[in-house]
Amino acid sequence: MTDSRDHAGADLPPPEAPGGPAVSVVVPARDDAVHLARCLRLLAAQTRPPDEIVVVDNASSDGTADVARAAGARVVFEPVRGIPPAAATGYDAARGDVVVRCDADSVPGPDWIARLLAALGSRPGVVAVAGPGCFRGLPPGLDRLLSALYIGLYVLTTAAALAHPPLFGTNMAMRRSWWLEVRDRVHRHDPELHDDLDLSFRLAPGHSILFRPGLSVGMSPRALRGGRPAVRRLRRAFRTIRLNWADERPWERWQARLGHRLRGGLP
């Protein structure tokens, strides 16, 4: 078991996979020991188990790191608080061919990893795949309605800004080779960004992100909190878009991708 202050794990050998690509699951977490324990139990029960689980302890003050170690996860430490630095540290530490990402409060079904892998390998040029989240703990019917509205609004607005589908950090997988290609161009040191949206902006013409509506995973309704948390989420979204549009405007992104397709490029 590695020490909780291991930052990258680059000196460790890659995990051994029984067949097919090796899979690393990255779980950024801060002060979320109870939810993390459930998530790790569900990851251990996958029909296609991960070859390693990397929990990023984002300067927690509770037993998050202890819970992760007890479940057999490798713990890395990220002292800068915020999802962007924590997620990037986890991706750097991952050693598998495929990096799967979820949150500490995610509730993955038993075939979650298997379905992500199938989607990732479904067509040429796919470097990442994502699916929606479904809020748990709400009254029946209301959970599906609010989930559809929340995710639908996110996908529609961000796809227009990106010129392609977005990633969703609660439920995604990407090729490690792509992360190594773009890792120096993400805004990993800015905690006031949406890291999944920022990473989505790194997609170049010729590559694709798949968003599969049927590939759902359970998640906490904490994202529905109003007041200051809601204002902060919106502010982060606008900041993420504004920073990335400074490099490439939306019409330039659409032009580049449509032009690539018209020239016969894939996807």
Side-chain angles (χ1 to χ4, degrees):
M1 189 66 62
T2 58
D3 183 79
S4 65
R5 301 188 70 85
D6 173 20
H7 281 261
D11 56 337
L12 298 173
E16 295 184 5
V23 176
S24 300
V25 177
V26 172
V27 189
R30 184 176 78 223
D31 295 336
D32 213 356
V34 174
H35 285 118
L36 178 64
R38 178 187 61 185
C39 179
L40 295 176
R41 287 195 301 270
L42 294 173
L43 290 175
Q46 293 289 300
T47 57
R48 199 304 188 183
D51 299 289
E52 68 168 357
I53 299 175
V54 178
V55 173
V56 184
D57 177 10
N58 195 203
S60 297
S61 59
D62 68 351
T64 289
D66 293 333
V67 165
R69 290 194 197 93
R74 181 158 62 94
V75 179
V76 296
F77 182 74
E78 175 49 61
V80 179
R81 290 195 169 192
I83 298 177
T89 293
Y91 301 154
D92 286 343
R95 299 166 294 151
D97 306 299
V98 174
V99 181
V100 172
R101 155 82 184 279
C102 66
D103 297 325
D105 60 9
S106 294
V107 187
D111 61 349
W112 178 60
I113 291 178
R115 296 176 68 197
L116 283 172
L117 289 177
L120 192 61
S122 63
R123 67 175 71 167
V126 175
V127 295
V129 62
C134 182
F135 294 121
R136 296 293 185 95
L138 298 176
L142 184 61
D143 52 358
R144 292 189 296 274
L145 174 62
L146 292 180
S147 299
L149 291 173
Y150 182 87
I151 298 298
L153 182 62
Y154 171 72
V155 172
L156 287 175
T157 55
T158 56
L162 291 163
H164 57 75
L167 293 169
F168 183 52
T170 298
N171 181 10
M172 58 171 271
M174 64 180 169
R175 300 188 188 280
R176 182 170 180 265
S177 58
W178 182 58
W179 168 249
L180 295 178
E181 179 184 328
V182 304
R183 58 188 278 187
D184 293 330
R185 294 190 286 121
V186 299
H187 299 88
R188 66 168 67 208
H189 301 299
D190 191 334
E192 293 304 316
L193 294 178
H194 287 304
D195 70 296
D196 46 6
L197 180 57
D198 186 53
L199 179 57
S200 300
F201 272 104
R202 306 281 76 78
L203 189 74
H207 291 162
S208 65
I209 291 172
L210 295 183
F211 192 93
R212 292 290 176 86
L215 213 170
S216 181
V217 70
M219 64 181 182
S220 167
R222 291 186 291 189
L224 296 174
R225 290 173 181 169
R228 289 183 179 179
V231 172
R232 192 176 190 185
R233 286 194 298 272
L234 282 174
R235 187 169 61 241
R236 286 175 171 174
F238 286 122
R239 178 174 173 79
T240 307
I241 292 172
R242 186 174 66 253
L243 282 176
N244 284 284
W245 276 0
D247 297 327
E248 189 178 27
R249 298 293 183 179
W251 54 87
E252 295 171 339
R253 295 184 63 85
W254 279 98
Q255 184 179 40
R257 281 145 188 81
L258 291 174
H260 182 82
R261 291 193 174 190
L262 290 173
R263 290 191 299 270
L266 290 175

